[in-house]
Structure formats: structure tokens, C-alpha cells
Amino acid sequence: MWRLYKQYSGGLTAELASHQIDVADWMFGSHPEFVVGVGGLDFMKDGRDVYDNIQLIFKYPQGQKLIYSSICTNKHLPMFGSTRTEFGEMIMGTEGTIHITVGTDEEPALAMWFYEPGPKKATEPKKEKPAIAGATLASTGKGSRGLPVMFEEHLLSGKESFLQKEMKMARLWLYKKGIMVPEEDRNPVDVQLESFFECCRTGGRPKADLEVGLADSVAVMLANQSMDEGRRVYFNEIEKMGRG
């Protein structure tokens, strides 16, 4: 298969990481400044020459970072309670975290958010205890319970009938208790393809247009270069490539 060879393929970076790079660019509203990465051909001994595992870090202008990992040696996915083999995205900020997965026809798309409490207020310093020899374990904090990200159709609009209102309120209660999780009615990939075909018919502008694709392609090429050359690669280097 052509995907297994560098002559024809960008490997895992192009096939998979490009989608998460797209999400990060959208979230941060900018493109990366540089990328560092490590790749290896350690497990799949079938004649391929693309890496079978990659780890990448993209640095953005305001200090944000995209950390990407793709491996083929282990199916464990800590997100969503390790109940799925699907890929996922985890967006972590100072006020919370969102877990997202696209889903398939068999596994629904899910989105959960986790509240991040602010830093503790300063208090009076405690009297120092006598030093005791031995190792100590620093506190690493405790995670919060996840709550589902609601879709618009699940929220009360005030236009529901009595029965519709009662049903929505019952679902909202189950969502908050973690008994149920709201699911999209359709596979988002199908929705995305329909949107693209509609733009082809009407001449509309796709949400991920040519410029988005170009930015993703640049990120893929530079990330692969970073892994191949074992160095930090700056995105402005693309301007000099192919010019003698």
C-alpha cells in the first residue's frame, strides 16, 4: 500500500496528525512557530519505511502547545475511561479540560468537560515542622468529575410542550449524574462530507478550505523533517525550501 512508503506518503503525520493540527490551529487562532518530534520504526516489520510511532510537540505564538502521539503497539486510550479504541482530543486550559472523539457508525461522538478549580488563595504560612529524613510525595492534585458537553437540542428553549419539557429535564438530570451521555444523532464524518458536497454544488466556502489544507500540509512536512533530522524546525523555514 502506498501509505507505507515515504516516496508517496507523509506517514502517520499526514494520515492522522494533520486532523489534530487543524483542530489546534482553529482553537488557538494561529499557526505554530516551531515543531520538535521523535519518530521510530520499531514494531511493524513489513517493509514500510514510514514511522510506526510518532511523538510531536508544536509550539504556538502565545505559548500554547499541541502535544501529539500516535502509536500502533498499544490500544489503551485513557480518555473516556479507556472504553473506546477511537482516537480522541483533549483540550486543556486554565479553567477546564474538554475530551472529544469523532466516533464512528458504531461508537457515537462524545464530548465531556472537566472543571479546573482556580489556584488556592494565599494563607498564613504554617510553622515549619522539624525536618525528617526520607522521601516525600508531592501532591499532584485531584481530577474533577466529567460533565457532558450539551448539544443545542438537549437544552430547554421554552418552546417545548409539557411532555417534551419533562423528557428534556429528565435527560438533563441523567446527564448531570453521569448515567447518560448525550450523543449526536449522526456520524459527524457524514455531516462533514455532506457539507463539502453542498459547497461544491453551491460554490460556498467550506469550513476547512484551501488555506486550511495548505497550513496542515506545511505542518505535516515540517513535522516529518523535524523527526528525520532530529532537530527543532521553525515554520518560517518553509519560505526557503526549494530555493537553491
Side-chain angles (χ1 to χ4, degrees):
M1 181 181 285
W2 60 270
R3 287 187 174 93
L4 305 183
Y5 306 102
K6 289 183 178 180
Q7 182 178 357
Y8 310 107
S9 168
L12 292 172
T13 318
E15 298 294 328
L16 300 177
S18 57
H19 302 292
Q20 275 67 54
I21 295 168
D22 184 10
V23 171
D25 286 1
W26 168 71
M27 273 295 298
F28 300 146
S30 61
H31 302 302
E33 291 182 325
F34 65 80
V35 56
V36 293
V38 177
L41 184 49
D42 306 311
F43 183 72
M44 305 298 291
K45 307 299 182 181
D46 55 4
R48 71 180 65 198
D49 58 13
V50 298
Y51 300 128
D52 61 23
N53 66 91
I54 61 173
Q55 289 75 36
L56 303 167
I57 301 177
F58 295 85
K59 164 68 167 52
Y60 284 76
Q62 295 186 18
Q64 308 102 324
K65 299 173 185 67
L66 163 62
I67 302 174
Y68 181 84
S69 176
S70 180
I71 61 175
C72 63
T73 56
N74 194 302
K75 294 182 179 180
H76 177 73
L77 182 67
M79 296 163 61
F80 303 105
S82 302
T83 58
R84 304 169 61 105
T85 56
E86 288 300 298
F87 64 85
E89 295 153 6
M90 185 161 52
I91 303 170
M92 305 177 70
T94 56
E95 299 182 6
T97 297
I98 296 178
H99 289 190
I100 304 173
T101 184
V102 171
T104 66
D105 291 331
E106 290 75 32
E107 294 180 301
L110 300 176
M112 302 286 289
W113 71 273
F114 299 78
Y115 171 70
E116 185 72 21
K120 293 182 179 180
K121 295 181 179 180
T123 58
E124 291 292 328
K126 297 181 180 180
K127 294 182 179 180
E128 294 184 4
K129 296 181 179 180
I132 301 176
T136 58
L137 177 64
S139 173
T140 56
K142 182 180 180 180
S144 62
R145 181 177 179 179
L147 294 172
V149 175
M150 299 295 183
F151 302 115
E152 186 175 356
E153 60 267 25
H154 297 137
L155 302 177
L156 294 171
S157 65
K159 299 179 181 180
E160 297 87 357
S161 66
F162 174 79
L163 183 59
Q164 290 173 332
K165 181 179 179 180
E166 291 298 311
M167 291 292 292
K168 280 192 174 183
M169 290 182 66
R171 288 197 184 97
L172 288 172
W173 184 85
L174 292 171
Y175 294 155
K176 291 179 181 179
K177 294 295 183 181
I179 300 173
M180 288 178 60
V181 178
E183 301 174 357
E184 292 198 27
D185 297 330
R186 302 178 59 211
N187 186 339
V189 175
D190 296 337
V191 177
Q192 181 185 32
L193 288 173
E194 286 183 4
S195 175
F196 174 75
F197 292 142
E198 182 65 20
C199 289
C200 292
R201 285 191 290 266
T202 63
R205 183 172 181 172
K207 293 181 179 179
D209 59 12
L210 184 64
E211 292 183 3
V212 172
L214 176 60
D216 290 347
S217 298
V218 169
V220 167
M221 290 187 290
L222 297 183
N224 281 336
Q225 182 177 359
S226 174
M227 292 186 288
D228 292 341
E229 298 181 3
R231 68 178 180 89
R232 175 185 295 185
V233 173
Y234 286 87
F235 272 60
N236 59 14
E237 294 183 33
I238 195 70
E239 302 296 335
K240 301 178 182 178
M241 290 184 177
R243 296 187 179 182

